[in-house]
Amino acid sequence: MTTQGDPATDPGVPVVPEPPGDAVGTPTGSTGLNDPEKPDLPAENPPDESPVPKPAEAPADDVTTNTSALPDALTRLRTVIDSSAYPLVLPSADDARRVGGALVTQLDDYLLPRLARLDAPLLVVVGGSTGAGKSTLVNSIVQARVTASGVLRPTTRSPVLVANPADTTWFRQGDLLPGLTRTTEPGDDPGTLQLVAAPALPPGLAFLDAPDIDSVVDANRALAGQLLAAADLWLFVTTAARYADAVPWELLRTARLRGTVIALVLDRVPPEAGDEVAAHLSEMLAAHDLAAAPLFVLPETEVDGQGLLPYQVTEPLRDWFQQLAGDAAARAAVVRQTLDGALAALAPAVTTLADAADDQAAAAGVLDERVRTSYRAARRTFEEGLKDGRLLRGEVLARWQEYIGTGEFFRTLEARVGRIRDRLVAALTGRPAPASQLQTAIESQLVTLVRGVAADAAEHAYGGWQSHPAGAALLEPELGRPGPDLPQRAERMVRDWQRGVLELVRAEGGDKRFVARSAAYAVNATGLAVMIAVFASTAFIPTGLEVAAGAGTTVAAQKVLEAVFGDQAVRNMANRSRKDLLDRLEKLLDAEAARYLVRIRAVGPDPGEELRRAAADVETARTAAGLTADAPFTLPGAAR
């Protein structure tokens, strides 16, 4: 950036010498009007046209009265758009990302900086197809070679901005197109903006020579679209051979929908086909609702030694811009109309984003529910495993029988609970190994059940996502299996639960003489009995050879606990221990489900509604600003 000083001698921007004599402006005796060889141009008081319309507020910068709310509304909209993610593979996602990126760029490049300085020079972006002669036209208007032209395509790789020396400070220090690095040297880097000062251009007006809109280089095409979105006025250049191409008309439709003010140059028109081609192009413009756009027809001709078009060929266009630059009210009207049109175009574009965001939220909801359903089913399966007695079969049953005693113990248990309790403590005191083996067996059975239900849940969740297009795109093979550290986490969960049961026994029996007398062994014995009661405290229906042993096991667990704490305490501890185990399992399964859910976390809870609110705030502020009158401003036209 340069410091503020005399713009005419700004050392930071090269100044193109002003052509001598009458080479600038309209030559003496020529107005460009009623000449059969030239398009009609506006004059001070043309006989058959109204003067250039002037808004009621004549000063160009007197348009900020009601715009104070717009910057804040636009900044919030930009934040919401930028934070909206479309991570799920859906038909609307690619377009939403593209549209969202374009809107953020336009807000940064044009809308916010233009609102901050409505009185800044009018920016005319010169765009068009490959080989249309854009650079030659810009050079010819300023009567100097300020931008490269030639037969090698693409010619314009780095955009060139040409302005009057008095206006260069604005473009060097302004926020317009902040993503482009300012330079004073020509180059091929599309990320730079070359600034050139040209006295031939009147103050208040600047030309930006953009890359080809149909360039074979992707970066050039993208940059051309970005620059056109930052234009106050789009000067579209086409040729007699290319004016019907599809790509230019798509951009013209986009410009019209955005409300951008447009003027057209039909270049290289053979003299014998001039009327026919101009008439056809005019019909096409009318069919695309662009009939009001000024059209200038330039005949096919040779360039001079400097590569410039003959002066008389570009004179009508130069005069037209000269008059526009000299009319502050007309420039202000152009700026306000383009700005208002761009603001109005935000609402439908954001609606598209909001609809796509709704698609994302709906798909994310479906995927979320499929995962949660799978892991809820895993929890129910685990809970059923606690109720149906399966955990009391096999190793746990054998170790419990070994721990409690023989069949004689079960037959005498009902009449001699107190004595059995003492025998239990004595057995623990003398033989701790069976208790340890029982605890290990309980842990092993629980871990096996946890791993089984987690594996089933992962498989079902994988299948649920695989059948959904958005889910299938997020899957990786390892998601079809439990996490690699699940066995360790399951073992830790069960051990923590067992310790929790012992703590519960201590808390419940803290004032019992039994616990005080028998100390840790009684706590361990009672804790193991509580664990067995958790597995067999509801509708345990054993089968086959397990009938006698299983039923006795249940009674044993209950009676031991009842002897110590009483019936209600037994039920309370069993219920609390079961709930604690299920809560711990739920946390473990939630962690497993999170491997899936983290992949859709970027989709917010209601992103579409947030986008709609932000767009509505912008529209409210735009309406209050009243940037344009009821009738749109129409540029003075040129003859067809």
Side-chain angles (χ1 to χ4, degrees), residues 66-134:
N66 300 315
T67 61
S68 57
L70 268 171
D72 288 342
L74 287 173
T75 299
R76 178 174 176 272
L77 176 62
R78 186 207 181 282
T79 300
V80 174
I81 294 174
D82 198 38
S83 62
S84 298
Y86 307 90
L88 304 183
V89 178
L90 295 172
S92 58
D94 286 342
D95 282 345
R97 285 190 286 267
R98 178 183 55 79
V99 171
L103 289 180
V104 168
T105 299
Q106 189 181 28
L107 284 162
D108 290 343
D109 285 353
Y110 179 68
L111 290 173
L112 287 168
R114 175 49 86 182
L115 269 176
R117 283 292 304 274
L118 287 168
D119 62 332
L122 183 74
L123 180 61
V124 179
V125 175
V126 184
S129 303
T130 300
K134 301 181 301 298

Side-chain angles (χ1 to χ4, degrees), residues 262-265 285 290-296 320 635-638 640:
I262 301 171
L264 295 97
V265 173
L285 290 170
L290 291 168
L295 172 61
F296 296 90
W320 187 82
L635 283 170
R640 294 290 196 266

Side-chain angles (χ1 to χ4, degrees), residues 37-315:
E37 297 297 323
K38 303 175 184 177
D40 290 343
L41 295 173
E44 291 299 326
N45 289 290
D48 56 350
E49 292 185 19
S50 300
V52 175
K54 297 180 184 295
E57 58 279 353
D61 57 354
D62 188 20
V63 291
T64 60
T65 306
N66 300 315
T67 61
S68 57
L70 268 171
D72 288 342
L74 287 173
T75 299
R76 178 174 176 272
L77 176 62
R78 186 207 181 282
T79 300
V80 174
I81 294 174
D82 198 38
S83 62
S84 298
Y86 307 90
L88 304 183
V89 178
L90 295 172
S92 58
D94 286 342
D95 282 345
R97 285 190 286 267
R98 178 183 55 79
V99 171
L103 289 180
V104 168
T105 299
Q106 189 181 28
L107 284 162
D108 290 343
D109 285 353
Y110 179 68
L111 290 173
L112 287 168
R114 175 49 86 182
L115 269 176
R117 283 292 304 274
L118 287 168
D119 62 332
L122 183 74
L123 180 61
V124 179
V125 175
V126 184
S129 303
T130 300
K134 301 181 301 298
S135 299
T136 299
L137 182 63
V138 172
N139 291 339
S140 300
I141 289 175
V142 301
Q143 290 292 287
R145 291 179 59 85
V146 295
T147 179
S149 61
V151 296
L152 182 63
R153 306 298 176 199
T155 303
T156 303
R157 296 176 175 84
S158 173
V160 179
L161 190 145
V162 188
N164 184 276
D167 294 332
T168 55
T169 299
W170 155 250
F171 293 107
R172 286 179 63 86
Q173 297 183 346
D175 293 328
L176 193 74
L177 296 166
L180 298 180
T181 302
R182 272 48 171 176
T183 179
T184 58
E185 299 295 331
D188 293 337
D189 184 358
T192 62
L193 178 63
Q194 181 190 356
L195 300 180
V196 178
L201 278 183
L205 191 67
F207 283 90
L208 199 163
D209 185 17
D212 302 331
I213 59 174
D214 54 357
S215 173
V216 295
V217 181
D218 291 344
N220 286 351
R221 290 199 309 274
L223 179 58
Q226 178 185 353
L227 298 178
L228 290 170
D232 293 313
L233 190 155
W234 183 13
L235 182 63
F236 177 71
V237 183
T238 187
T239 66
R242 301 287 305 274
Y243 70 89
D245 288 357
V247 172
W249 284 101
E250 183 62 32
L251 286 174
L252 284 168
R253 281 191 292 270
T254 300
R256 177 180 59 79
L257 291 174
R258 285 178 177 170
T260 305
V261 178
I262 301 171
L264 295 97
V265 173
L266 181 60
D267 195 12
R268 299 175 183 168
V269 179
E272 66 277 8
D275 293 341
E276 180 182 354
V277 172
H280 186 221
L281 178 54
S282 296
E283 291 175 4
M284 295 183 68
L285 290 170
H288 288 83
D289 200 22
L290 291 168
L295 172 61
F296 296 90
V297 180
L298 305 187
E300 190 172 29
T301 186
E302 298 290 334
V303 297
D304 63 17
Q306 293 183 301
L308 308 180
L309 295 171
Y311 180 84
Q312 64 273 17
V313 169
T314 58
E315 179 184 2

Side-chain angles (χ1 to χ4, degrees), residues 387-409:
K387 293 179 180 180
D388 64 12
R390 76 181 70 172
L391 292 174
L392 288 180
R393 298 181 175 93
E395 182 72 13
V396 172
L397 179 60
R399 296 304 176 191
W400 172 251
Q401 289 173 330
E402 179 183 339
Y403 177 57
I404 293 297
T406 65
E408 180 66 21
F409 173 83

Side-chain angles (χ1 to χ4, degrees), residues 328-563:
R331 292 201 315 275
V334 170
V335 167
R336 294 184 344 183
Q337 179 171 318
T338 296
L339 180 59
D340 188 68
L343 292 170
L346 291 175
V350 175
T351 297
T352 300
L353 298 183
D355 291 343
D358 290 343
D359 293 343
Q360 293 278 316
V366 170
L367 296 176
D368 180 276
E369 183 57 27
R370 290 184 182 184
V371 171
R372 295 187 187 278
T373 297
S374 298
Y375 283 92
R376 280 197 299 266
R379 186 187 187 281
R380 287 194 299 270
T381 301
F382 184 88
E383 190 171 5
E384 288 298 321
L386 298 182
K387 293 179 180 180
D388 64 12
R390 76 181 70 172
L391 292 174
L392 288 180
R393 298 181 175 93
E395 182 72 13
V396 172
L397 179 60
R399 296 304 176 191
W400 172 251
Q401 289 173 330
E402 179 183 339
Y403 177 57
I404 293 297
T406 65
E408 180 66 21
F409 173 83
F410 294 113
R411 288 192 294 272
T412 59
L413 183 60
E414 290 284 342
R416 293 177 294 176
V417 169
R419 204 174 79 189
I420 292 169
R421 179 192 63 202
D422 294 337
R423 284 178 57 194
L424 178 61
V425 174
L428 283 170
T429 304
R431 292 188 300 118
S436 175
Q437 291 173 347
L438 174 59
Q439 186 170 353
T440 300
I442 291 172
E443 177 184 338
S444 176
Q445 287 285 76
L446 282 175
V447 169
T448 299
L449 182 57
V450 171
R451 294 178 64 175
V453 299
D456 289 344
E459 183 179 351
H460 292 152
Y462 192 94
W465 275 30
Q466 197 170 39
S467 63
H468 191 290
L474 297 173
L475 287 176
E476 295 177 1
E478 59 267 23
L479 286 177
R481 304 181 294 273
D485 61 341
L486 177 73
Q488 293 80 12
R489 289 188 290 121
E491 291 171 3
R492 186 165 57 250
M493 182 203 83
V494 173
R495 287 195 296 268
D496 290 345
W497 173 72
Q498 290 176 325
R499 283 193 291 268
V501 171
L502 298 181
E503 291 299 322
L504 176 62
V505 169
R506 287 193 186 92
E508 290 293 323
D511 59 349
K512 306 294 183 182
R513 286 178 298 171
F514 165 74
V515 175
R517 184 172 63 251
S518 57
Y521 288 118
V523 172
N524 289 342
T526 307
L528 289 170
V530 170
M531 295 175 201
I532 295 297
V534 167
F535 304 154
S537 60
T538 60
F540 172 41
I541 306 176
T543 59
L545 297 176
E546 298 173 334
V547 172
T553 299
T554 304
V555 174
Q558 293 291 110
K559 291 302 181 179
V560 169
L561 292 171
E562 290 171 11

